[in-house]
Amino acid sequence: MLKIFDRSRRSNEKIAETIFVPTIVLASLLSLLAFWHKSTIKIVGPDSIGLAMLVAGIVICLLVFPPVYIYGVNHGQERLSNKQLIFNVITLTIASAIMIAMVTAIGVWLFNAAFQDLGLDKYTSSIIVGTYSAGLVYVLVPAAIAMNTKRIVSMFSVVMISGVMLSMITAGNPLWWQENFSSLGTQSGLSALAFNFTLILSGFILITLSSHMLEDVKLIKHGPKNKPNIKLLKILFIFVGLCMAGVGFFPYDRAPLLHNLSAYSMVLGFGVIVLGLKKILPFIDAAFLTNSYFALGAILISYILFSRVGYLNLTAFEMLAFGITFAWLLMFTRKVSSYMAS
């Protein structure tokens, strides 16, 4: 078995290359069995190439990501507990499957728009699905082995933004924004499902992020007087993640008290992290601290403009608060990564 203590890109890609051809063969044969009684296969629709690619992508992610991710953790520098590892595997596998499904659906839609009414025979269609499956494995395996803070943040970004956008687009009430951001979770059908599930999954991803990020913090060189308070930082990030999940788990129309408590606690948790950042990470530089205080001040000003001045409505305040918090999270993970590289 390959040892990847340095998570070498060459070693990771060698694993992907080893299973590349077998994946093409296996996926092509399975697709051929599915298409066997079809004379012409369309790009979209029932029994189509696109549907086969979508199913293949999700199945590959569910089967390949967990063992490969565990392999990467066991041969890397992270030291996660069994409970944390299981939680990470479930959360990241679901998030990865959703991302793969979205990217595949968009790609199939674009291909169908370019080649309308195109029909292919079962052999060509099977090879296309097999090639797609092998390409997915080639990309997924190295990414899962070398899963790190930056990649989890990217996953968090894609899941959050795409899920909320889907909820906005499918909202039954086009004037939802005149009420509040949380009204998306009270809509009927796909809109509410997308909004609430996105927040729950994003909160879990944030909890997963905390374990990887804190392992990164442990690797940062610091003096004896600059020892980071890793446990406190982990507790705060888990708290924020649970609050974010709570916003989706308790829709406003069903549990308004718990919903609001989760939302305001999430902002409070972020504020505690920022205000205590110098104590938690004594080696953090003044420039980042200044930017962090500015972000927190911007949220406070937005709240005053909403609650006291009336310049912003509730939706605008919620979106601004989330956007600022999200931007700070990206800055923070990049800052931690920069300390590791120095």
Side-chain angles (χ1 to χ4, degrees), residues 125-211:
S125 302
S126 300
I127 293 174
I128 290 175
V129 177
T131 304
Y132 159 80
S133 301
L136 176 60
V137 167
Y138 188 79
V139 173
L140 182 63
V141 168
I145 293 176
M147 184 61 64
N148 55 27
T149 301
K150 284 187 176 180
R151 288 179 176 171
I152 296 177
V153 169
S154 299
M155 188 180 295
F156 174 83
S157 307
V158 173
V159 170
M160 174 61 78
I161 294 174
S162 59
V164 172
M165 289 300 298
L166 177 62
S167 179
M168 291 178 181
I169 294 171
T170 58
N173 178 17
L175 300 179
W176 63 267
W177 53 271
Q178 294 182 353
E179 299 177 22
N180 55 64
F181 195 56
S182 298
S183 67
L184 288 172
T186 64
Q187 303 285 326
S188 59
L190 180 60
S191 178
L193 179 63
F195 182 80
N196 294 326
F197 180 75
T198 295
L199 287 175
I200 294 172
L201 182 59
S202 297
F204 288 167
I205 294 175
L206 195 57
I207 295 173
T208 299
L209 171 67
S210 69
S211 62

Coordinates of all heavy atoms in Angstrom, one line a residue, residues 125-211:
S125 N -23.1 5.1 -26.5 CA -23.6 5.7 -25.3 C -22.9 5.1 -24.1 O -22.6 5.8 -23.1 CB -25.1 5.5 -25.2 OG -25.8 6.1 -26.3
S126 N -22.7 3.8 -24.1 CA -22.1 3.1 -23.0 C -20.6 3.5 -22.8 O -20.2 3.7 -21.7 CB -22.1 1.6 -23.2 OG -23.4 1.1 -23.4
I127 N -19.9 3.7 -23.9 CA -18.5 4.2 -23.8 C -18.5 5.6 -23.2 O -17.6 5.9 -22.4 CB -17.9 4.2 -25.2 CG1 -17.7 2.7 -25.6 CG2 -16.5 4.9 -25.1 CD1 -17.2 2.5 -27.0
I128 N -19.5 6.5 -23.6 CA -19.5 7.8 -23.1 C -19.7 7.8 -21.5 O -19.0 8.5 -20.8 CB -20.6 8.6 -23.7 CG1 -20.3 8.9 -25.2 CG2 -20.9 9.9 -22.9 CD1 -21.4 9.6 -25.9
V129 N -20.6 7.0 -21.1 CA -20.9 6.9 -19.6 C -19.6 6.3 -18.9 O -19.3 6.7 -17.9 CB -22.1 6.0 -19.4 CG1 -22.3 5.8 -17.9 CG2 -23.4 6.6 -20.0
G130 N -19.0 5.3 -19.5 CA -17.8 4.7 -19.0 C -16.7 5.7 -18.9 O -16.0 5.7 -17.9
T131 N -16.5 6.5 -19.9 CA -15.4 7.5 -19.9 C -15.7 8.5 -18.9 O -14.7 9.0 -18.2 CB -15.3 8.1 -21.3 OG1 -15.1 7.1 -22.3 CG2 -14.1 9.1 -21.4
Y132 N -16.9 9.0 -18.8 CA -17.3 9.9 -17.7 C -17.0 9.4 -16.4 O -16.4 10.1 -15.5 CB -18.8 10.3 -17.9 CG -19.4 10.9 -16.6 CD1 -19.2 12.2 -16.3 CD2 -20.1 10.1 -15.7 CE1 -19.7 12.7 -15.1 CE2 -20.6 10.6 -14.6 CZ -20.4 11.9 -14.3 OH -20.9 12.5 -13.1
S133 N -17.4 8.1 -16.1 CA -17.2 7.5 -14.8 C -15.7 7.4 -14.5 O -15.3 7.7 -13.3 CB -17.8 6.1 -14.8 OG -19.2 6.2 -15.1
A134 N -14.9 7.1 -15.5 CA -13.4 7.0 -15.2 C -12.8 8.4 -15.0 O -11.9 8.5 -14.1 CB -12.7 6.3 -16.4
G135 N -13.3 9.4 -15.7 CA -12.8 10.7 -15.5 C -13.2 11.2 -14.1 O -12.4 11.9 -13.4
L136 N -14.4 10.9 -13.7 CA -14.8 11.3 -12.3 C -13.9 10.6 -11.3 O -13.5 11.3 -10.3 CB -16.3 10.9 -12.1 CG -16.9 11.2 -10.7 CD1 -16.8 12.6 -10.4 CD2 -18.3 10.7 -10.7
V137 N -13.7 9.3 -11.4 CA -12.8 8.6 -10.5 C -11.4 9.3 -10.4 O -10.8 9.4 -9.4 CB -12.7 7.1 -10.8 CG1 -11.6 6.5 -10.0 CG2 -14.0 6.4 -10.5
Y138 N -10.9 9.6 -11.6 CA -9.6 10.2 -11.7 C -9.5 11.5 -11.0 O -8.4 11.9 -10.4 CB -9.2 10.4 -13.2 CG -7.8 10.8 -13.4 CD1 -6.7 9.9 -13.4 CD2 -7.4 12.2 -13.6 CE1 -5.4 10.3 -13.6 CE2 -6.1 12.5 -13.8 CZ -5.1 11.6 -13.8 OH -3.8 12.0 -14.0
V139 N -10.6 12.3 -10.9 CA -10.6 13.6 -10.2 C -10.9 13.4 -8.8 O -10.3 14.0 -7.9 CB -11.6 14.5 -10.9 CG1 -11.8 15.8 -10.1 CG2 -11.2 14.9 -12.3
L140 N -11.9 12.5 -8.5 CA -12.4 12.3 -7.1 C -11.3 11.7 -6.2 O -11.2 12.1 -5.0 CB -13.6 11.4 -7.1 CG -14.3 11.2 -5.8 CD1 -14.8 12.5 -5.2 CD2 -15.5 10.2 -6.0
V141 N -10.6 10.7 -6.6 CA -9.7 9.9 -5.8 C -8.6 10.8 -5.2 O -8.4 10.9 -3.9 CB -9.1 8.7 -6.5 CG1 -7.9 8.1 -5.7 CG2 -10.2 7.7 -6.7
P142 N -7.8 11.6 -6.0 CA -6.8 12.5 -5.4 C -7.4 13.5 -4.5 O -6.8 13.9 -3.5 CB -6.1 13.1 -6.6 CG -6.4 12.2 -7.8 CD -7.8 11.6 -7.5
A143 N -8.6 14.1 -4.9 CA -9.2 15.1 -4.1 C -9.6 14.6 -2.7 O -9.5 15.3 -1.7 CB -10.4 15.7 -4.8
A144 N -10.2 13.4 -2.7 CA -10.6 12.8 -1.4 C -9.4 12.4 -0.5 O -9.5 12.6 0.7 CB -11.5 11.5 -1.7
I145 N -8.4 11.9 -1.1 CA -7.2 11.5 -0.3 C -6.6 12.8 0.3 O -6.2 12.8 1.5 CB -6.1 10.8 -1.2 CG1 -6.7 9.4 -1.7 CG2 -4.8 10.6 -0.5 CD1 -5.8 8.7 -2.6
A146 N -6.5 13.8 -0.5 CA -5.8 15.1 0.0 C -6.8 16.1 0.5 O -6.6 17.3 0.4 CB -5.0 15.7 -1.2
M147 N -8.0 15.6 1.0 CA -9.0 16.5 1.5 C -8.4 17.4 2.6 O -7.8 16.9 3.5 CB -10.2 15.7 2.0 CG -11.3 16.6 2.5 SD -12.0 17.6 1.2 CE -12.7 16.4 0.0
N148 N -8.5 18.7 2.5 CA -8.0 19.6 3.4 C -8.9 20.8 3.7 O -10.1 20.8 3.2 CB -6.6 20.1 3.0 CG -6.7 20.8 1.6 OD1 -7.7 21.3 1.2 ND2 -5.6 20.7 0.9
T149 N -8.5 21.7 4.5 CA -9.3 22.8 4.9 C -9.9 23.6 3.7 O -11.0 23.9 3.6 CB -8.6 23.8 5.8 OG1 -8.2 23.0 7.0 CG2 -9.5 24.9 6.3
K150 N -9.0 23.9 2.7 CA -9.4 24.7 1.6 C -10.4 24.0 0.8 O -11.4 24.7 0.3 CB -8.1 25.1 0.7 CG -7.2 26.1 1.3 CD -6.1 26.5 0.3 CE -5.3 27.6 0.8 NZ -4.2 28.0 -0.1
R151 N -10.3 22.7 0.5 CA -11.2 22.0 -0.3 C -12.6 21.9 0.4 O -13.6 21.9 -0.2 CB -10.7 20.6 -0.6 CG -9.5 20.7 -1.6 CD -9.0 19.4 -2.0 NE -8.0 19.5 -3.0 CZ -7.2 18.5 -3.4 NH1 -7.3 17.3 -2.8 NH2 -6.3 18.7 -4.3
I152 N -12.6 21.7 1.7 CA -13.8 21.7 2.5 C -14.5 23.0 2.4 O -15.8 23.1 2.3 CB -13.6 21.2 3.9 CG1 -13.0 19.8 3.9 CG2 -14.9 21.3 4.7 CD1 -12.7 19.3 5.3
V153 N -13.8 24.1 2.5 CA -14.4 25.4 2.4 C -15.0 25.6 1.0 O -16.1 26.2 0.9 CB -13.3 26.5 2.7 CG1 -13.8 27.9 2.3 CG2 -12.9 26.5 4.1
S154 N -14.3 25.2 0.0 CA -14.8 25.2 -1.4 C -16.1 24.4 -1.5 O -17.1 24.9 -2.1 CB -13.8 24.7 -2.4 OG -12.6 25.5 -2.4
M155 N -16.1 23.3 -0.9 CA -17.3 22.4 -0.8 C -18.5 23.1 -0.1 O -19.6 23.1 -0.6 CB -17.0 21.1 -0.2 CG -18.1 20.1 -0.2 SD -17.6 18.5 0.6 CE -16.3 18.0 -0.5
F156 N -18.1 23.7 1.0 CA -19.1 24.5 1.8 C -19.7 25.6 0.9 O -20.9 25.9 0.9 CB -18.4 25.1 3.0 CG -19.3 26.0 3.9 CD1 -20.2 25.5 4.8 CD2 -19.2 27.4 3.7 CE1 -21.0 26.4 5.5 CE2 -19.9 28.2 4.4 CZ -20.9 27.7 5.4
S157 N -18.8 26.3 0.2 CA -19.3 27.4 -0.6 C -20.2 27.0 -1.7 O -21.3 27.6 -1.9 CB -18.1 28.1 -1.3 OG -17.1 28.5 -0.3
V158 N -19.9 25.9 -2.4 CA -20.7 25.4 -3.5 C -22.1 24.9 -3.0 O -23.1 25.3 -3.6 CB -20.0 24.3 -4.3 CG1 -20.9 23.6 -5.3 CG2 -18.7 24.8 -5.0
V159 N -22.1 24.1 -1.9 CA -23.3 23.6 -1.4 C -24.2 24.7 -0.9 O -25.4 24.8 -1.2 CB -23.0 22.6 -0.2 CG1 -24.3 22.2 0.5 CG2 -22.3 21.4 -0.8
M160 N -23.6 25.7 -0.2 CA -24.4 26.7 0.4 C -25.0 27.6 -0.7 O -26.2 27.9 -0.8 CB -23.6 27.6 1.3 CG -24.3 28.8 1.9 SD -25.8 28.5 2.8 CE -25.1 27.9 4.4
I161 N -24.2 28.1 -1.6 CA -24.6 29.1 -2.6 C -25.6 28.4 -3.6 O -26.7 29.0 -3.9 CB -23.4 29.6 -3.4 CG1 -22.6 30.5 -2.4 CG2 -23.9 30.5 -4.6 CD1 -21.3 31.0 -3.1
S162 N -25.3 27.2 -4.1 CA -26.2 26.6 -5.0 C -27.5 26.2 -4.4 O -28.6 26.3 -5.0 CB -25.5 25.3 -5.6 OG -25.1 24.4 -4.6
G163 N -27.4 25.7 -3.2 CA -28.7 25.3 -2.5 C -29.6 26.5 -2.2 O -30.8 26.4 -2.5
V164 N -29.1 27.6 -1.8 CA -29.9 28.8 -1.5 C -30.4 29.4 -2.8 O -31.6 29.8 -2.9 CB -29.1 29.8 -0.7 CG1 -29.8 31.2 -0.7 CG2 -28.7 29.3 0.7
M165 N -29.6 29.4 -3.9 CA -30.0 29.9 -5.2 C -31.1 29.0 -5.7 O -32.1 29.5 -6.3 CB -28.8 29.9 -6.2 CG -27.8 31.0 -5.9 SD -28.5 32.7 -5.9 CE -29.1 32.7 -7.7
L166 N -31.0 27.7 -5.6 CA -32.1 26.8 -6.0 C -33.4 27.1 -5.3 O -34.5 27.1 -5.9 CB -31.7 25.3 -5.8 CG -32.7 24.3 -6.2 CD1 -33.1 24.3 -7.6 CD2 -32.2 22.9 -5.8
S167 N -33.3 27.3 -4.0 CA -34.5 27.7 -3.2 C -35.1 29.0 -3.7 O -36.3 29.1 -3.8 CB -34.1 27.8 -1.7 OG -35.2 28.1 -0.9
M168 N -34.3 30.0 -4.0 CA -34.8 31.2 -4.4 C -35.5 31.1 -5.8 O -36.6 31.6 -6.0 CB -33.6 32.2 -4.6 CG -33.0 32.7 -3.3 SD -31.6 33.8 -3.6 CE -31.0 34.2 -2.0
I169 N -34.9 30.3 -6.7 CA -35.5 30.2 -8.0 C -36.8 29.4 -8.0 O -37.7 29.7 -8.8 CB -34.4 29.5 -8.9 CG1 -33.2 30.3 -9.1 CG2 -35.0 29.1 -10.3 CD1 -32.1 29.6 -9.8
T170 N -36.9 28.4 -7.1 CA -38.1 27.6 -7.1 C -39.1 28.1 -6.1 O -40.1 27.4 -5.9 CB -37.7 26.1 -6.8 OG1 -37.0 26.1 -5.5 CG2 -36.8 25.6 -7.9
A171 N -38.9 29.2 -5.4 CA -39.8 29.7 -4.4 C -41.2 29.9 -5.0 O -41.3 30.5 -6.1 CB -39.3 31.0 -3.8
G172 N -42.2 29.4 -4.4 CA -43.6 29.6 -4.8 C -44.0 31.1 -4.8 O -44.8 31.5 -5.6
N173 N -43.5 31.8 -3.8 CA -43.8 33.2 -3.7 C -42.7 34.0 -4.2 O -41.6 34.1 -3.6 CB -44.1 33.6 -2.2 CG -44.4 35.1 -2.0 OD1 -44.7 35.8 -3.0 ND2 -44.3 35.5 -0.8
P174 N -42.8 34.7 -5.4 CA -41.7 35.4 -6.0 C -41.3 36.6 -5.2 O -40.2 37.2 -5.4 CB -42.2 35.8 -7.4 CG -43.7 35.8 -7.3 CD -44.0 34.7 -6.3
L175 N -42.2 37.0 -4.3 CA -41.9 38.2 -3.4 C -41.5 37.8 -2.0 O -41.7 38.5 -1.0 CB -43.1 39.1 -3.3 CG -43.6 39.7 -4.7 CD1 -44.9 40.5 -4.5 CD2 -42.6 40.5 -5.4
W176 N -40.8 36.6 -1.9 CA -40.4 36.1 -0.6 C -39.5 37.1 0.1 O -39.4 37.2 1.3 CB -39.7 34.8 -0.8 CG -38.5 34.9 -1.6 CD1 -38.4 34.7 -3.0 CD2 -37.1 35.2 -1.2 NE1 -37.1 34.9 -3.4 CE2 -36.3 35.2 -2.3 CE3 -36.6 35.5 0.1 CZ2 -34.9 35.5 -2.2 CZ3 -35.2 35.8 0.2 CH2 -34.4 35.8 -1.0
W177 N -38.7 37.8 -0.7 CA -37.7 38.7 -0.2 C -38.3 39.9 0.6 O -37.6 40.6 1.4 CB -36.8 39.2 -1.3 CG -37.5 39.9 -2.4 CD1 -38.0 39.3 -3.5 CD2 -37.9 41.3 -2.5 NE1 -38.7 40.2 -4.3 CE2 -38.6 41.4 -3.7 CE3 -37.7 42.4 -1.7 CZ2 -39.1 42.6 -4.2 CZ3 -38.2 43.6 -2.1 CH2 -38.9 43.7 -3.3
Q178 N -39.6 40.2 0.4 CA -40.2 41.2 1.2 C -40.5 40.8 2.6 O -40.9 41.7 3.4 CB -41.5 41.6 0.4 CG -41.3 42.3 -0.9 CD -42.6 42.7 -1.6 OE1 -43.7 42.5 -1.1 NE2 -42.5 43.4 -2.7
E179 N -40.5 39.5 2.9 CA -40.7 39.0 4.2 C -39.4 38.9 5.0 O -39.0 39.8 5.7 CB -41.4 37.7 4.2 CG -42.8 37.8 3.5 CD -43.5 36.4 3.3 OE1 -43.1 35.5 4.1 OE2 -44.4 36.3 2.5
N180 N -38.7 37.8 4.8 CA -37.4 37.6 5.4 C -36.7 36.4 4.7 O -37.4 35.6 4.0 CB -37.5 37.4 6.9 CG -38.4 36.2 7.3 OD1 -38.1 35.1 6.9 ND2 -39.5 36.6 8.0
F181 N -35.4 36.3 4.9 CA -34.7 35.2 4.3 C -35.2 33.8 4.7 O -35.2 32.9 3.9 CB -33.2 35.4 4.7 CG -32.2 34.6 3.8 CD1 -32.2 34.8 2.5 CD2 -31.3 33.7 4.4 CE1 -31.3 34.1 1.7 CE2 -30.4 33.0 3.7 CZ -30.4 33.2 2.3
S182 N -35.6 33.7 5.9 CA -36.0 32.4 6.4 C -37.4 32.0 5.8 O -37.7 30.8 6.0 CB -36.2 32.5 8.0 OG -34.9 32.8 8.6
S183 N -38.1 32.9 5.2 CA -39.3 32.5 4.5 C -39.1 31.5 3.4 O -40.0 30.8 3.1 CB -40.1 33.7 4.0 OG -39.3 34.3 2.9
L184 N -37.9 31.4 2.9 CA -37.6 30.4 1.9 C -37.8 29.0 2.5 O -38.2 28.0 1.8 CB -36.2 30.5 1.4 CG -35.9 31.7 0.5 CD1 -34.4 31.8 0.2 CD2 -36.6 31.6 -0.8
G185 N -37.5 28.8 3.8 CA -37.7 27.5 4.4 C -39.1 27.2 4.7 O -39.4 26.1 5.2
T186 N -40.0 28.1 4.5 CA -41.4 27.9 4.8 C -42.2 27.7 3.5 O -43.4 27.5 3.6 CB -42.0 29.1 5.6 OG1 -42.0 30.3 4.8 CG2 -41.2 29.3 6.9
Q187 N -41.6 27.8 2.4 CA -42.3 27.6 1.1 C -42.6 26.1 1.0 O -42.1 25.3 1.7 CB -41.4 28.0 0.0 CG -40.9 29.5 0.0 CD -42.0 30.5 -0.4 OE1 -42.8 30.2 -1.2 NE2 -42.0 31.6 0.2
S188 N -43.5 25.9 0.0 CA -43.9 24.5 -0.2 C -43.0 23.9 -1.3 O -42.4 24.6 -2.1 CB -45.3 24.4 -0.6 OG -45.6 25.1 -1.8
G189 N -42.9 22.5 -1.2 CA -42.2 21.8 -2.3 C -40.7 21.9 -2.2 O -40.0 22.0 -1.2
L190 N -40.0 22.0 -3.4 CA -38.6 22.0 -3.6 C -37.9 23.1 -2.9 O -36.8 23.0 -2.3 CB -38.2 21.9 -5.0 CG -36.7 21.9 -5.4 CD1 -36.1 20.6 -4.8 CD2 -36.5 21.9 -6.9
S191 N -38.5 24.3 -2.9 CA -37.9 25.5 -2.3 C -37.5 25.3 -0.9 O -36.4 25.5 -0.4 CB -38.8 26.7 -2.5 OG -38.2 27.9 -1.9
A192 N -38.5 24.9 -0.1 CA -38.3 24.7 1.4 C -37.3 23.6 1.6 O -36.4 23.7 2.5 CB -39.6 24.5 2.1
L193 N -37.4 22.5 0.9 CA -36.5 21.3 1.0 C -35.1 21.7 0.7 O -34.2 21.4 1.5 CB -37.0 20.2 0.1 CG -36.1 18.9 0.1 CD1 -36.2 18.3 1.5 CD2 -36.6 17.9 -0.9
A194 N -34.9 22.5 -0.4 CA -33.5 22.9 -0.7 C -32.9 23.8 0.3 O -31.8 23.7 0.7 CB -33.6 23.6 -2.1
F195 N -33.7 24.8 0.8 CA -33.2 25.7 1.8 C -32.9 25.1 3.1 O -31.7 25.3 3.6 CB -34.3 26.8 2.0 CG -33.9 27.9 2.9 CD1 -33.1 29.0 2.5 CD2 -34.3 27.9 4.3 CE1 -32.7 30.0 3.4 CE2 -33.9 28.9 5.1 CZ -33.1 29.9 4.7
N196 N -33.8 24.3 3.6 CA -33.6 23.7 5.0 C -32.4 22.7 4.9 O -31.6 22.6 5.8 CB -34.8 23.1 5.5 CG -35.9 24.2 5.8 OD1 -35.6 25.3 6.2 ND2 -37.2 23.8 5.6
F197 N -32.5 21.8 3.9 CA -31.4 20.8 3.8 C -30.1 21.4 3.6 O -29.1 20.9 4.1 CB -31.8 19.8 2.6 CG -30.8 18.7 2.4 CD1 -30.7 17.7 3.3 CD2 -29.8 18.8 1.4 CE1 -29.8 16.6 3.2 CE2 -28.9 17.8 1.3 CZ -28.9 16.7 2.1
T198 N -30.0 22.5 2.8 CA -28.8 23.2 2.5 C -28.1 23.7 3.8 O -26.9 23.6 4.1 CB -28.9 24.3 1.5 OG1 -29.3 23.8 0.3 CG2 -27.7 25.1 1.4
L199 N -29.0 24.3 4.7 CA -28.5 24.9 5.9 C -28.0 23.8 6.9 O -27.0 23.9 7.5 CB -29.5 25.7 6.6 CG -29.8 27.1 5.9 CD1 -31.0 27.8 6.6 CD2 -28.6 28.0 6.0
I200 N -28.8 22.7 6.9 CA -28.4 21.6 7.8 C -27.1 21.0 7.3 O -26.1 20.8 8.1 CB -29.5 20.5 7.8 CG1 -30.8 21.0 8.5 CG2 -29.0 19.2 8.5 CD1 -31.9 20.1 8.4
L201 N -27.0 20.7 6.0 CA -25.7 20.1 5.5 C -24.6 21.0 5.6 O -23.4 20.6 6.0 CB -25.9 19.7 4.0 CG -24.7 19.0 3.3 CD1 -24.3 17.7 4.1 CD2 -25.1 18.7 1.9
S202 N -24.8 22.3 5.4 CA -23.7 23.3 5.5 C -23.2 23.4 6.9 O -22.0 23.6 7.2 CB -24.2 24.7 5.0 OG -24.5 24.6 3.6
G203 N -24.1 23.4 7.9 CA -23.7 23.4 9.3 C -22.9 22.2 9.6 O -21.9 22.3 10.3
F204 N -23.2 21.0 9.1 CA -22.4 19.8 9.3 C -21.1 19.9 8.6 O -20.0 19.4 9.2 CB -23.2 18.6 8.8 CG -24.4 18.2 9.7 CD1 -25.3 17.3 9.2 CD2 -24.5 18.8 10.9 CE1 -26.4 16.9 10.0 CE2 -25.6 18.4 11.7 CZ -26.5 17.5 11.3
I205 N -21.0 20.5 7.4 CA -19.7 20.7 6.8 C -18.8 21.6 7.6 O -17.6 21.4 7.7 CB -20.0 21.3 5.4 CG1 -20.7 20.3 4.5 CG2 -18.6 21.7 4.7 CD1 -21.0 20.8 3.1
L206 N -19.4 22.6 8.2 CA -18.7 23.6 9.0 C -18.1 22.8 10.2 O -16.9 23.1 10.7 CB -19.6 24.7 9.5 CG -18.9 25.9 10.1 CD1 -17.9 26.5 9.1 CD2 -19.9 27.0 10.5
I207 N -18.8 21.9 10.8 CA -18.3 21.1 11.9 C -17.2 20.2 11.4 O -16.1 20.1 12.1 CB -19.4 20.2 12.5 CG1 -20.5 21.1 13.2 CG2 -18.9 19.3 13.6 CD1 -21.7 20.4 13.6
T208 N -17.3 19.6 10.2 CA -16.3 18.8 9.6 C -15.0 19.7 9.4 O -13.9 19.3 9.6 CB -16.8 18.2 8.3 OG1 -17.9 17.4 8.6 CG2 -15.7 17.4 7.7
L209 N -15.3 20.9 8.9 CA -14.2 21.8 8.6 C -13.4 22.1 9.9 O -12.2 22.2 9.8 CB -14.8 23.1 8.1 CG -13.8 24.3 7.9 CD1 -12.7 24.0 6.9 CD2 -14.5 25.6 7.6
S210 N -14.1 22.2 11.0 CA -13.4 22.5 12.3 C -12.3 21.5 12.6 O -11.2 21.8 13.1 CB -14.4 22.6 13.4 OG -14.9 21.4 13.8
S211 N -12.6 20.2 12.4 CA -11.6 19.2 12.7 C -10.4 19.3 11.8 O -9.2 19.2 12.3 CB -12.2 17.8 12.6 OG -12.7 17.5 11.3

